[in-house]
Amino acid sequence: MKTTYKYLTMISLIIISMVAGLFLPEWIATSKDYSDQNITGIIEKESTELPTITPIDSMSMIERISLLKDYPQNVNQVAVETGTNFDLSSAKEKFLEEITELSKHEILPKINLENKGQLKLVANLYIQKDEPFISGVFWTITWEQDGFLGEFYMDDQNGKIIQLIVTTPDQSLAADQNIIGSWSSYLGLEVRNIESQSGTGSILEEEAAKVLELGYFELGLEDDFLPYTFYTYENGYGIWLYNEFYIQLR
């Protein structure tokens, strides 16, 4: 009896193994196909076509500068640790080179680099809202030395200073038509439509300094120009991209 039970048990196990051998692979394959189908469906549903990224080095200087002009209305700003072409150390070195160049163009007073003063640099990525593949990195630089205080925006692509506002005890320099010509020469751009006026206004809505003279001009090449403003105030002057959000006459 025990022997018969063992045989029946053995036969049952053999039959079960044969059935499993026949149907298990097909079940696994069917299950895998269903799983793949589900996964594929999820991917197709959630995937989006990646936009074509515009290489920064293929953008013109005017296209990059326009990101600053259109901030914050049409451009977002994101803080980044470093730039594309400059890190913190190399950006400092490049900035000191550029302010020396600006001094040679008589846009800034004579610079004594033996005392580097207090220097603060922050990198930001500017991204166009409606076309996020258009972007550029600019360094915001604050420099203070011997009564001189300046805020500068430096292009990470070529290291050029794009706009500046300074407070200085040296009043021999002022933002006038002569300095505008020097500014356009420094950037390698053409200048046109220079207009100036006297009167009072405000520099940056949060600033209390009163404008003594204010003017406008355009910089660019061929048919692609951007508006700038230049102004003097009691202790300094500035050359800034014209943006109604920041500069509002009263």
Side-chain angles (χ1 to χ4, degrees):
M1 188 69 178
K2 290 183 179 181
T3 303
T4 304
Y5 178 75
K6 288 181 180 180
Y7 280 120
L8 289 176
T9 302
M10 186 179 298
I11 292 171
S12 299
L13 291 174
I14 292 173
I15 294 174
I16 291 172
S17 299
M18 291 177 63
V19 172
L22 289 173
F23 294 101
L24 185 59
E26 183 177 353
W27 178 82
I28 293 174
T30 303
S31 176
K32 183 178 183 301
D33 290 342
Y34 179 76
S35 176
D36 290 344
Q37 184 178 2
N38 284 346
I39 295 173
T40 303
I42 293 173
I43 293 174
E44 290 177 355
K45 182 177 180 180
E46 295 184 355
S47 64
T48 56
E49 184 178 354
L50 293 175
T52 302
I53 303 299
T54 301
I56 294 177
D57 57 4
S58 70
M59 296 172 61
S60 69
M61 182 185 295
I62 295 298
E63 288 175 322
R64 293 195 303 274
I65 295 176
S66 66
L67 292 168
L68 283 181
K69 183 187 77 68
D70 294 335
Y71 173 78
Q73 297 95 323
N74 303 314
V75 172
N76 289 322
Q77 181 194 72
V78 180
V80 292
E81 293 184 358
T82 186
T84 303
N85 289 336
F86 297 99
D87 58 16
L88 185 60
S89 178
S90 60
K92 287 181 179 179
E93 294 179 4
K94 183 61 176 176
F95 170 72
L96 294 175
E97 290 178 9
E98 292 304 309
I99 60 172
T100 301
E101 188 69 20
L102 289 173
S103 180
K104 291 179 180 178
H105 281 81
E106 297 186 342
I107 298 170
L108 290 179
K110 292 182 179 180
I111 303 297
N112 178 15
L113 293 183
E114 292 181 2
N115 174 20
K116 295 184 179 180
Q118 297 181 3
L119 190 60
K120 180 181 179 181
L121 294 86
V122 177
N124 288 291
L125 175 65
Y126 292 80
I127 308 168
Q128 193 164 305
K129 291 180 180 179
D130 58 349
E131 295 180 284
F133 49 87
I134 297 178
S135 62
V137 176
F138 292 90
W139 292 84
T140 303
I141 304 172
T142 304
W143 186 45
E144 185 174 2
Q145 179 203 68
D146 299 331
F148 176 94
L149 176 62
E151 181 179 352
F152 306 83
Y153 279 70
M154 186 176 79
D155 185 356
D156 181 73
Q157 182 63 23
N158 57 16
K160 290 291 185 180
I161 304 299
I162 302 303
Q163 58 188 11
L164 60 86
I165 178 172
V166 300
T167 299
T168 173
D170 183 356
Q171 295 300 306
S172 62
L173 298 176
D176 56 17
Q177 294 192 18
N178 293 327
I179 206 172
I180 296 310
S182 299
W183 181 252
S184 65
S185 175
Y186 162 74
L187 290 178
L189 299 173
E190 298 175 4
V191 61
R192 70 180 187 185
N193 298 335
I194 301 176
E195 301 177 4
S196 62
Q197 66 184 62
S198 299
T200 59
S202 63
I203 308 169
L204 311 181
E205 292 184 43
E206 67 273 14
E207 295 283 349
K210 295 298 181 181
V211 172
L212 301 178
E213 183 176 358
L214 180 70
Y216 305 93
F217 64 100
E218 294 178 342
L219 282 184
L221 291 172
E222 299 178 350
D223 296 328
D224 198 4
F225 282 76
L226 289 176
Y228 268 83
T229 182
F230 63 92
Y231 47 83
T232 61
Y233 55 100
E234 291 181 359
N235 300 314
Y237 55 92
I239 306 173
W240 208 262
L241 281 158
Y242 180 75
N243 186 323
E244 292 182 355
F245 183 83
Y246 286 107
I247 299 177
Q248 181 180 26
L249 291 178
R250 293 174 181 171

